[in-house]
Amino acid sequence: MPDDCIFCQIVAGDIPSRTVYEDDTVFAFLDVNPLAPGHTLVIPKDHHETLGDLPDDTAADVFAALHRLAPTVEDAVDADASNVAFNNGEAAGQEVPHVHGHIIPRFEGDGGRPIHAIAGSRPDLSDEELDDIAADIRNAR
Ligand code: AMP
Ligand code: ZN
């Protein structure tokens, strides 16, 4: 683990956190600077920077925890819904370089916006360009 990783230090217990869930591979705790009551971060215990760096089994474990925790967090704060998202890489706004999924409870009329609000200006793509992008992704798998 990198010595300077805040989230590795939280997993190790060297930095305190309001832990809400822990198993062999996954750790979840309240965000210290919450966007909503119940804002929770779900992380792999091992240090990996982005989603693409995660081994398959760890990725499955992280998603399983998100899947279990999202409704639990919503219920705990009596939320109407939640946004579940990753800032995946620095250009996408990731500040802590240890993979973490955000569970952000949402409430009717809370003034927040959908995930579509996070991107910059929308690209103007032709059908052909969309076809090419889809083919590139499909063929790279
Ligand atoms: P991101 O911008 O996706 O990298 O989000 C990092 C998140 O980590 C932010 O929402 C911070 O409020 C949160 N955070 C940073 N340090 C801590 C900490 N010591 N305990 C809990 N949450 C933290
Ligand atoms: Zn780390």
Side-chain angles (χ1 to χ4, degrees), residues 20-22 26-29 40-42 62-75 82 103:
V20 300
Y21 176 79
E22 180 175 10
V26 176
F27 197 86
F29 52 101
T40 296
L41 301 176
V42 179
V62 168
F63 188 80
L66 285 166
H67 165 250
R68 279 196 302 273
L69 282 169
T72 307
V73 169
E74 288 180 22
D75 287 349
S82 59
I103 301 173

Side-chain angles (χ1 to χ4, degrees), residues 34-77:
L35 295 172
H39 183 170
T40 296
L41 301 176
V42 179
I43 69 174
K45 285 187 167 177
D46 289 343
H47 184 87
H48 301 283
E49 190 163 335
T50 66
L51 279 175
D53 297 327
L54 282 180
D56 288 352
D57 54 349
T58 309
D61 293 345
V62 168
F63 188 80
L66 285 166
H67 165 250
R68 279 196 302 273
L69 282 169
T72 307
V73 169
E74 288 180 22
D75 287 349
V77 296

